[in-house]
mmCIF file with all atom_site columns, all heavy atoms in Angstrom:
data_model
loop_
_atom_site.group_PDB
_atom_site.id
_atom_site.type_symbol
_atom_site.label_atom_id
_atom_site.label_alt_id
_atom_site.label_comp_id
_atom_site.label_asym_id
_atom_site.label_entity_id
_atom_site.label_seq_id
_atom_site.pdbx_PDB_ins_code
_atom_site.Cartn_x
_atom_site.Cartn_y
_atom_site.Cartn_z
_atom_site.occupancy
_atom_site.B_iso_or_equiv
_atom_site.pdbx_formal_charge
_atom_site.auth_seq_id
_atom_site.auth_comp_id
_atom_site.auth_asym_id
_atom_site.auth_atom_id
_atom_site.pdbx_PDB_model_num
ATOM 1   N N   . ASN J 1 1  ? 0.806   -1.211 -0.006  1.00 94.00 ? 1  ASN J N   1
ATOM 2   C CA  . ASN J 1 1  ? 0.001   -0.012 0.004   1.00 94.00 ? 1  ASN J CA  1
ATOM 3   C C   . ASN J 1 1  ? 0.837   1.284  0.005   1.00 94.00 ? 1  ASN J C   1
ATOM 4   O O   . ASN J 1 1  ? 0.317   2.346  -0.160  1.00 94.00 ? 1  ASN J O   1
ATOM 5   C CB  . ASN J 1 1  ? -0.983  0.005  1.185   1.00 94.00 ? 1  ASN J CB  1
ATOM 6   C CG  . ASN J 1 1  ? -0.267  0.021  2.524   1.00 94.00 ? 1  ASN J CG  1
ATOM 7   O OD1 . ASN J 1 1  ? 0.952   -0.153 2.600   1.00 94.00 ? 1  ASN J OD1 1
ATOM 8   N ND2 . ASN J 1 1  ? -1.028  0.191  3.588   1.00 94.00 ? 1  ASN J ND2 1
ATOM 9   N N   . ARG J 1 2  ? 2.157   1.150  0.146   1.00 94.00 ? 2  ARG J N   1
ATOM 10  C CA  . ARG J 1 2  ? 3.041   2.328  0.052   1.00 94.00 ? 2  ARG J CA  1
ATOM 11  C C   . ARG J 1 2  ? 3.692   2.422  -1.317  1.00 94.00 ? 2  ARG J C   1
ATOM 12  O O   . ARG J 1 2  ? 4.533   3.288  -1.555  1.00 94.00 ? 2  ARG J O   1
ATOM 13  C CB  . ARG J 1 2  ? 4.124   2.262  1.106   1.00 94.00 ? 2  ARG J CB  1
ATOM 14  C CG  . ARG J 1 2  ? 3.644   2.379  2.526   1.00 94.00 ? 2  ARG J CG  1
ATOM 15  C CD  . ARG J 1 2  ? 4.795   2.280  3.474   1.00 94.00 ? 2  ARG J CD  1
ATOM 16  N NE  . ARG J 1 2  ? 5.972   1.896  2.768   1.00 94.00 ? 2  ARG J NE  1
ATOM 17  C CZ  . ARG J 1 2  ? 7.239   1.943  3.184   1.00 94.00 ? 2  ARG J CZ  1
ATOM 18  N NH1 . ARG J 1 2  ? 7.494   2.311  4.369   1.00 94.00 ? 2  ARG J NH1 1
ATOM 19  N NH2 . ARG J 1 2  ? 8.251   1.585  2.457   1.00 94.00 ? 2  ARG J NH2 1
ATOM 20  N N   . THR J 1 3  ? 3.357   1.517  -2.257  1.00 97.00 ? 3  THR J N   1
ATOM 21  C CA  . THR J 1 3  ? 3.949   1.498  -3.580  1.00 97.00 ? 3  THR J CA  1
ATOM 22  C C   . THR J 1 3  ? 3.004   2.152  -4.572  1.00 97.00 ? 3  THR J C   1
ATOM 23  O O   . THR J 1 3  ? 1.843   1.782  -4.694  1.00 97.00 ? 3  THR J O   1
ATOM 24  C CB  . THR J 1 3  ? 4.261   0.070  -4.038  1.00 97.00 ? 3  THR J CB  1
ATOM 25  O OG1 . THR J 1 3  ? 4.967   -0.617 -2.987  1.00 97.00 ? 3  THR J OG1 1
ATOM 26  C CG2 . THR J 1 3  ? 5.091   0.075  -5.316  1.00 97.00 ? 3  THR J CG2 1
ATOM 27  N N   . VAL J 1 4  ? 3.547   3.154  -5.301  1.00 97.00 ? 4  VAL J N   1
ATOM 28  C CA  . VAL J 1 4  ? 2.774   3.903  -6.268  1.00 97.00 ? 4  VAL J CA  1
ATOM 29  C C   . VAL J 1 4  ? 3.270   3.546  -7.682  1.00 97.00 ? 4  VAL J C   1
ATOM 30  O O   . VAL J 1 4  ? 4.472   3.654  -7.969  1.00 97.00 ? 4  VAL J O   1
ATOM 31  C CB  . VAL J 1 4  ? 2.938   5.428  -6.015  1.00 97.00 ? 4  VAL J CB  1
ATOM 32  C CG1 . VAL J 1 4  ? 2.253   6.238  -7.097  1.00 97.00 ? 4  VAL J CG1 1
ATOM 33  C CG2 . VAL J 1 4  ? 2.388   5.769  -4.624  1.00 97.00 ? 4  VAL J CG2 1
ATOM 34  N N   . ALA J 1 5  ? 2.360   3.101  -8.534  1.00 97.00 ? 5  ALA J N   1
ATOM 35  C CA  . ALA J 1 5  ? 2.675   2.751  -9.902  1.00 97.00 ? 5  ALA J CA  1
ATOM 36  C C   . ALA J 1 5  ? 2.903   3.997  -10.718 1.00 97.00 ? 5  ALA J C   1
ATOM 37  O O   . ALA J 1 5  ? 2.185   4.979  -10.603 1.00 97.00 ? 5  ALA J O   1
ATOM 38  C CB  . ALA J 1 5  ? 1.562   1.920  -10.510 1.00 97.00 ? 5  ALA J CB  1
ATOM 39  N N   . LEU J 1 6  ? 3.919   3.978  -11.590 1.00 96.00 ? 6  LEU J N   1
ATOM 40  C CA  . LEU J 1 6  ? 4.247   5.116  -12.442 1.00 96.00 ? 6  LEU J CA  1
ATOM 41  C C   . LEU J 1 6  ? 4.664   4.568  -13.804 1.00 96.00 ? 6  LEU J C   1
ATOM 42  O O   . LEU J 1 6  ? 5.260   3.505  -13.909 1.00 96.00 ? 6  LEU J O   1
ATOM 43  C CB  . LEU J 1 6  ? 5.399   5.924  -11.823 1.00 96.00 ? 6  LEU J CB  1
ATOM 44  C CG  . LEU J 1 6  ? 6.028   7.051  -12.610 1.00 96.00 ? 6  LEU J CG  1
ATOM 45  C CD1 . LEU J 1 6  ? 5.009   8.149  -12.928 1.00 96.00 ? 6  LEU J CD1 1
ATOM 46  C CD2 . LEU J 1 6  ? 7.207   7.636  -11.860 1.00 96.00 ? 6  LEU J CD2 1
ATOM 47  N N   . GLY J 1 7  ? 4.356   5.322  -14.846 1.00 93.00 ? 7  GLY J N   1
ATOM 48  C CA  . GLY J 1 7  ? 4.743   4.924  -16.190 1.00 93.00 ? 7  GLY J CA  1
ATOM 49  C C   . GLY J 1 7  ? 3.554   4.391  -16.975 1.00 93.00 ? 7  GLY J C   1
ATOM 50  O O   . GLY J 1 7  ? 3.100   3.302  -16.682 1.00 93.00 ? 7  GLY J O   1
ATOM 51  N N   . GLY J 1 8  ? 3.052   5.194  -17.893 1.00 92.00 ? 8  GLY J N   1
ATOM 52  C CA  . GLY J 1 8  ? 1.946   4.783  -18.744 1.00 92.00 ? 8  GLY J CA  1
ATOM 53  C C   . GLY J 1 8  ? 0.601   4.720  -18.012 1.00 92.00 ? 8  GLY J C   1
ATOM 54  O O   . GLY J 1 8  ? -0.334  4.106  -18.499 1.00 92.00 ? 8  GLY J O   1
ATOM 55  N N   . ILE J 1 9  ? 0.515   5.391  -16.879 1.00 95.00 ? 9  ILE J N   1
ATOM 56  C CA  . ILE J 1 9  ? -0.723  5.380  -16.129 1.00 95.00 ? 9  ILE J CA  1
ATOM 57  C C   . ILE J 1 9  ? -1.680  6.364  -16.778 1.00 95.00 ? 9  ILE J C   1
ATOM 58  O O   . ILE J 1 9  ? -1.374  7.527  -16.970 1.00 95.00 ? 9  ILE J O   1
ATOM 59  C CB  . ILE J 1 9  ? -0.521  5.753  -14.639 1.00 95.00 ? 9  ILE J CB  1
ATOM 60  C CG1 . ILE J 1 9  ? 0.576   4.908  -14.002 1.00 95.00 ? 9  ILE J CG1 1
ATOM 61  C CG2 . ILE J 1 9  ? -1.833  5.668  -13.876 1.00 95.00 ? 9  ILE J CG2 1
ATOM 62  C CD1 . ILE J 1 9  ? 0.308   3.438  -13.941 1.00 95.00 ? 9  ILE J CD1 1
ATOM 63  N N   . SER J 1 10 ? -2.878  5.892  -17.099 1.00 93.00 ? 10 SER J N   1
ATOM 64  C CA  . SER J 1 10 ? -3.918  6.741  -17.649 1.00 93.00 ? 10 SER J CA  1
ATOM 65  C C   . SER J 1 10 ? -5.149  6.594  -16.779 1.00 93.00 ? 10 SER J C   1
ATOM 66  O O   . SER J 1 10 ? -5.246  5.730  -15.947 1.00 93.00 ? 10 SER J O   1
ATOM 67  C CB  . SER J 1 10 ? -4.245  6.307  -19.099 1.00 93.00 ? 10 SER J CB  1
ATOM 68  O OG  . SER J 1 10 ? -4.619  4.929  -19.128 1.00 93.00 ? 10 SER J OG  1
ATOM 69  N N   . TYR J 1 11 ? -6.102  7.515  -16.992 1.00 93.00 ? 11 TYR J N   1
ATOM 70  C CA  . TYR J 1 11 ? -7.323  7.481  -16.184 1.00 93.00 ? 11 TYR J CA  1
ATOM 71  C C   . TYR J 1 11 ? -8.033  6.130  -16.294 1.00 93.00 ? 11 TYR J C   1
ATOM 72  O O   . TYR J 1 11 ? -8.546  5.609  -15.319 1.00 93.00 ? 11 TYR J O   1
ATOM 73  C CB  . TYR J 1 11 ? -8.275  8.613  -16.575 1.00 93.00 ? 11 TYR J CB  1
ATOM 74  C CG  . TYR J 1 11 ? -7.770  9.977  -16.175 1.00 93.00 ? 11 TYR J CG  1
ATOM 75  C CD1 . TYR J 1 11 ? -7.277  10.838 -17.115 1.00 93.00 ? 11 TYR J CD1 1
ATOM 76  C CD2 . TYR J 1 11 ? -7.793  10.376 -14.830 1.00 93.00 ? 11 TYR J CD2 1
ATOM 77  C CE1 . TYR J 1 11 ? -6.802  12.108 -16.756 1.00 93.00 ? 11 TYR J CE1 1
ATOM 78  C CE2 . TYR J 1 11 ? -7.320  11.617 -14.458 1.00 93.00 ? 11 TYR J CE2 1
ATOM 79  C CZ  . TYR J 1 11 ? -6.832  12.492 -15.408 1.00 93.00 ? 11 TYR J CZ  1
ATOM 80  O OH  . TYR J 1 11 ? -6.375  13.710 -15.038 1.00 93.00 ? 11 TYR J OH  1
ATOM 81  N N   . ASP J 1 12 ? -8.015  5.547  -17.509 1.00 94.00 ? 12 ASP J N   1
ATOM 82  C CA  . ASP J 1 12 ? -8.743  4.284  -17.682 1.00 94.00 ? 12 ASP J CA  1
ATOM 83  C C   . ASP J 1 12 ? -7.984  3.104  -17.115 1.00 94.00 ? 12 ASP J C   1
ATOM 84  O O   . ASP J 1 12 ? -8.520  1.993  -17.066 1.00 94.00 ? 12 ASP J O   1
ATOM 85  C CB  . ASP J 1 12 ? -9.071  4.063  -19.166 1.00 94.00 ? 12 ASP J CB  1
ATOM 86  C CG  . ASP J 1 12 ? -7.881  3.968  -20.085 1.00 94.00 ? 12 ASP J CG  1
ATOM 87  O OD1 . ASP J 1 12 ? -6.763  4.306  -19.665 1.00 94.00 ? 12 ASP J OD1 1
ATOM 88  O OD2 . ASP J 1 12 ? -8.090  3.561  -21.248 1.00 94.00 ? 12 ASP J OD2 1
ATOM 89  N N   . ARG J 1 13 ? -6.756  3.291  -16.637 1.00 94.00 ? 13 ARG J N   1
ATOM 90  C CA  . ARG J 1 13 ? -5.999  2.193  -16.002 1.00 94.00 ? 13 ARG J CA  1
ATOM 91  C C   . ARG J 1 13 ? -5.989  2.278  -14.480 1.00 94.00 ? 13 ARG J C   1
ATOM 92  O O   . ARG J 1 13 ? -5.398  1.412  -13.825 1.00 94.00 ? 13 ARG J O   1
ATOM 93  C CB  . ARG J 1 13 ? -4.561  2.200  -16.531 1.00 94.00 ? 13 ARG J CB  1
ATOM 94  C CG  . ARG J 1 13 ? -4.419  1.687  -17.935 1.00 94.00 ? 13 ARG J CG  1
ATOM 95  C CD  . ARG J 1 13 ? -2.973  1.641  -18.319 1.00 94.00 ? 13 ARG J CD  1
ATOM 96  N NE  . ARG J 1 13 ? -2.822  0.919  -19.580 1.00 94.00 ? 13 ARG J NE  1
ATOM 97  C CZ  . ARG J 1 13 ? -1.834  1.153  -20.440 1.00 94.00 ? 13 ARG J CZ  1
ATOM 98  N NH1 . ARG J 1 13 ? -0.902  2.053  -20.177 1.00 94.00 ? 13 ARG J NH1 1
ATOM 99  N NH2 . ARG J 1 13 ? -1.772  0.451  -21.556 1.00 94.00 ? 13 ARG J NH2 1
ATOM 100 N N   . LEU J 1 14 ? -6.587  3.288  -13.887 1.00 95.00 ? 14 LEU J N   1
ATOM 101 C CA  . LEU J 1 14 ? -6.516  3.444  -12.437 1.00 95.00 ? 14 LEU J CA  1
ATOM 102 C C   . LEU J 1 14 ? -7.100  2.249  -11.693 1.00 95.00 ? 14 LEU J C   1
ATOM 103 O O   . LEU J 1 14 ? -6.490  1.765  -10.721 1.00 95.00 ? 14 LEU J O   1
ATOM 104 C CB  . LEU J 1 14 ? -7.194  4.732  -11.998 1.00 95.00 ? 14 LEU J CB  1
ATOM 105 C CG  . LEU J 1 14 ? -6.483  6.026  -12.379 1.00 95.00 ? 14 LEU J CG  1
ATOM 106 C CD1 . LEU J 1 14 ? -7.311  7.240  -11.980 1.00 95.00 ? 14 LEU J CD1 1
ATOM 107 C CD2 . LEU J 1 14 ? -5.098  6.101  -11.777 1.00 95.00 ? 14 LEU J CD2 1
ATOM 108 N N   . SER J 1 15 ? -8.229  1.750  -12.120 1.00 94.00 ? 15 SER J N   1
ATOM 109 C CA  . SER J 1 15 ? -8.831  0.584  -11.452 1.00 94.00 ? 15 SER J CA  1
ATOM 110 C C   . SER J 1 15 ? -7.960  -0.644 -11.616 1.00 94.00 ? 15 SER J C   1
ATOM 111 O O   . SER J 1 15 ? -7.799  -1.446 -10.662 1.00 94.00 ? 15 SER J O   1
ATOM 112 C CB  . SER J 1 15 ? -10.214 0.294  -12.006 1.00 94.00 ? 15 SER J CB  1
ATOM 113 O OG  . SER J 1 15 ? -11.101 1.350  -11.687 1.00 94.00 ? 15 SER J OG  1
ATOM 114 N N   . LEU J 1 16 ? -7.367  -0.807 -12.767 1.00 94.00 ? 16 LEU J N   1
ATOM 115 C CA  . LEU J 1 16 ? -6.451  -1.940 -13.026 1.00 94.00 ? 16 LEU J CA  1
ATOM 116 C C   . LEU J 1 16 ? -5.249  -1.849 -12.087 1.00 94.00 ? 16 LEU J C   1
ATOM 117 O O   . LEU J 1 16 ? -4.869  -2.828 -11.449 1.00 94.00 ? 16 LEU J O   1
ATOM 118 C CB  . LEU J 1 16 ? -6.005  -1.945 -14.459 1.00 94.00 ? 16 LEU J CB  1
ATOM 119 C CG  . LEU J 1 16 ? -4.898  -2.958 -14.828 1.00 94.00 ? 16 LEU J CG  1
ATOM 120 C CD1 . LEU J 1 16 ? -5.342  -4.384 -14.574 1.00 94.00 ? 16 LEU J CD1 1
ATOM 121 C CD2 . LEU J 1 16 ? -4.467  -2.754 -16.275 1.00 94.00 ? 16 LEU J CD2 1
ATOM 122 N N   . VAL J 1 17 ? -4.660  -0.681 -11.968 1.00 96.00 ? 17 VAL J N   1
ATOM 123 C CA  . VAL J 1 17 ? -3.494  -0.465 -11.097 1.00 96.00 ? 17 VAL J CA  1
ATOM 124 C C   . VAL J 1 17 ? -3.845  -0.824 -9.647  1.00 96.00 ? 17 VAL J C   1
ATOM 125 O O   . VAL J 1 17 ? -3.097  -1.502 -8.983  1.00 96.00 ? 17 VAL J O   1
ATOM 126 C CB  . VAL J 1 17 ? -2.947  0.975  -11.220 1.00 96.00 ? 17 VAL J CB  1
ATOM 127 C CG1 . VAL J 1 17 ? -1.934  1.289  -10.147 1.00 96.00 ? 17 VAL J CG1 1
ATOM 128 C CG2 . VAL J 1 17 ? -2.364  1.212  -12.619 1.00 96.00 ? 17 VAL J CG2 1
ATOM 129 N N   . GLU J 1 18 ? -5.018  -0.355 -9.205  1.00 95.00 ? 18 GLU J N   1
ATOM 130 C CA  . GLU J 1 18 ? -5.431  -0.670 -7.845  1.00 95.00 ? 18 GLU J CA  1
ATOM 131 C C   . GLU J 1 18 ? -5.615  -2.172 -7.668  1.00 95.00 ? 18 GLU J C   1
ATOM 132 O O   . GLU J 1 18 ? -5.202  -2.731 -6.677  1.00 95.00 ? 18 GLU J O   1
ATOM 133 C CB  . GLU J 1 18 ? -6.717  0.087  -7.495  1.00 95.00 ? 18 GLU J CB  1
ATOM 134 C CG  . GLU J 1 18 ? -7.112  -0.073 -6.063  1.00 95.00 ? 18 GLU J CG  1
ATOM 135 C CD  . GLU J 1 18 ? -8.328  0.769  -5.697  1.00 95.00 ? 18 GLU J CD  1
ATOM 136 O OE1 . GLU J 1 18 ? -9.038  1.270  -6.578  1.00 95.00 ? 18 GLU J OE1 1
ATOM 137 O OE2 . GLU J 1 18 ? -8.540  0.932  -4.475  1.00 95.00 ? 18 GLU J OE2 1
ATOM 138 N N   . SER J 1 19 ? -6.223  -2.821 -8.657  1.00 94.00 ? 19 SER J N   1
ATOM 139 C CA  . SER J 1 19 ? -6.479  -4.260 -8.566  1.00 94.00 ? 19 SER J CA  1
ATOM 140 C C   . SER J 1 19 ? -5.172  -5.070 -8.607  1.00 94.00 ? 19 SER J C   1
ATOM 141 O O   . SER J 1 19 ? -5.114  -6.195 -8.136  1.00 94.00 ? 19 SER J O   1
ATOM 142 C CB  . SER J 1 19 ? -7.439  -4.744 -9.647  1.00 94.00 ? 19 SER J CB  1
ATOM 143 O OG  . SER J 1 19 ? -6.772  -4.738 -10.917 1.00 94.00 ? 19 SER J OG  1
ATOM 144 N N   . MET J 1 20 ? -4.111  -4.467 -9.143  1.00 94.00 ? 20 MET J N   1
ATOM 145 C CA  . MET J 1 20 ? -2.811  -5.131 -9.222  1.00 94.00 ? 20 MET J CA  1
ATOM 146 C C   . MET J 1 20 ? -2.093  -5.153 -7.854  1.00 94.00 ? 20 MET J C   1
ATOM 147 O O   . MET J 1 20 ? -1.094  -5.813 -7.696  1.00 94.00 ? 20 MET J O   1
ATOM 148 C CB  . MET J 1 20 ? -1.936  -4.447 -10.241 1.00 94.00 ? 20 MET J CB  1
ATOM 149 C CG  . MET J 1 20 ? -2.401  -4.601 -11.679 1.00 94.00 ? 20 MET J CG  1
ATOM 150 S SD  . MET J 1 20 ? -1.527  -3.484 -12.825 1.00 94.00 ? 20 MET J SD  1
ATOM 151 C CE  . MET J 1 20 ? 0.061   -4.286 -12.972 1.00 94.00 ? 20 MET J CE  1
ATOM 152 N N   . GLY J 1 21 ? -2.622  -4.382 -6.880  1.00 95.00 ? 21 GLY J N   1
ATOM 153 C CA  . GLY J 1 21 ? -2.021  -4.387 -5.563  1.00 95.00 ? 21 GLY J CA  1
ATOM 154 C C   . GLY J 1 21 ? -1.233  -3.134 -5.205  1.00 95.00 ? 21 GLY J C   1
ATOM 155 O O   . GLY J 1 21 ? -0.661  -3.067 -4.119  1.00 95.00 ? 21 GLY J O   1
ATOM 156 N N   . PHE J 1 22 ? -1.241  -2.134 -6.081  1.00 96.00 ? 22 PHE J N   1
ATOM 157 C CA  . PHE J 1 22 ? -0.543  -0.906 -5.777  1.00 96.00 ? 22 PHE J CA  1
ATOM 158 C C   . PHE J 1 22 ? -1.369  -0.031 -4.852  1.00 96.00 ? 22 PHE J C   1
ATOM 159 O O   . PHE J 1 22 ? -2.592  -0.061 -4.891  1.00 96.00 ? 22 PHE J O   1
ATOM 160 C CB  . PHE J 1 22 ? -0.251  -0.114 -7.083  1.00 96.00 ? 22 PHE J CB  1
ATOM 161 C CG  . PHE J 1 22 ? 0.868   -0.727 -7.912  1.00 96.00 ? 22 PHE J CG  1
ATOM 162 C CD1 . PHE J 1 22 ? 0.552   -1.617 -8.928  1.00 96.00 ? 22 PHE J CD1 1
ATOM 163 C CD2 . PHE J 1 22 ? 2.182   -0.402 -7.676  1.00 96.00 ? 22 PHE J CD2 1
ATOM 164 C CE1 . PHE J 1 22 ? 1.576   -2.172 -9.709  1.00 96.00 ? 22 PHE J CE1 1
ATOM 165 C CE2 . PHE J 1 22 ? 3.202   -0.940 -8.446  1.00 96.00 ? 22 PHE J CE2 1
ATOM 166 C CZ  . PHE J 1 22 ? 2.886   -1.856 -9.440  1.00 96.00 ? 22 PHE J CZ  1
ATOM 167 N N   . GLY J 1 23 ? -0.693  0.769  -4.041  1.00 96.00 ? 23 GLY J N   1
ATOM 168 C CA  . GLY J 1 23 ? -1.402  1.677  -3.127  1.00 96.00 ? 23 GLY J CA  1
ATOM 169 C C   . GLY J 1 23 ? -1.678  3.037  -3.734  1.00 96.00 ? 23 GLY J C   1
ATOM 170 O O   . GLY J 1 23 ? -2.256  3.890  -3.078  1.00 96.00 ? 23 GLY J O   1
ATOM 171 N N   . GLY J 1 24 ? -1.285  3.227  -4.990  1.00 97.00 ? 24 GLY J N   1
ATOM 172 C CA  . GLY J 1 24 ? -1.557  4.454  -5.683  1.00 97.00 ? 24 GLY J CA  1
ATOM 173 C C   . GLY J 1 24 ? -1.010  4.453  -7.091  1.00 97.00 ? 24 GLY J C   1
ATOM 174 O O   . GLY J 1 24 ? -0.393  3.477  -7.530  1.00 97.00 ? 24 GLY J O   1
ATOM 175 N N   . ALA J 1 25 ? -1.270  5.578  -7.764  1.00 97.00 ? 25 ALA J N   1
ATOM 176 C CA  . ALA J 1 25 ? -0.828  5.712  -9.162  1.00 97.00 ? 25 ALA J CA  1
ATOM 177 C C   . ALA J 1 25 ? -0.380  7.146  -9.360  1.00 97.00 ? 25 ALA J C   1
ATOM 178 O O   . ALA J 1 25 ? -1.021  8.083  -8.901  1.00 97.00 ? 25 ALA J O   1
ATOM 179 C CB  . ALA J 1 25 ? -1.952  5.383  -10.135 1.00 97.00 ? 25 ALA J CB  1
ATOM 180 N N   . ALA J 1 26 ? 0.712   7.311  -10.060 1.00 97.00 ? 26 ALA J N   1
ATOM 181 C CA  . ALA J 1 26 ? 1.246   8.617  -10.418 1.00 97.00 ? 26 ALA J CA  1
ATOM 182 C C   . ALA J 1 26 ? 1.112   8.807  -11.925 1.00 97.00 ? 26 ALA J C   1
ATOM 183 O O   . ALA J 1 26 ? 1.485   7.922  -12.712 1.00 97.00 ? 26 ALA J O   1
ATOM 184 C CB  . ALA J 1 26 ? 2.686   8.765  -10.000 1.00 97.00 ? 26 ALA J CB  1
#
């Protein structure tokens, strides 16, 4: 939950990033 995904993050990928186990998205 302290790991934030970065790189190629778009609005339509936010739910995917969260479901992958990341605590956030940049």
Side-chain angles (χ1 to χ4, degrees):
N1 63 351
R2 293 180 352 167
T3 311
V4 174
L6 173 62
I9 308 297
S10 57
Y11 290 107
D12 61 348
R13 286 185 169 151
L14 291 176
S15 293
L16 172 61
V17 168
E18 186 175 16
S19 73
M20 292 168 75
F22 287 94

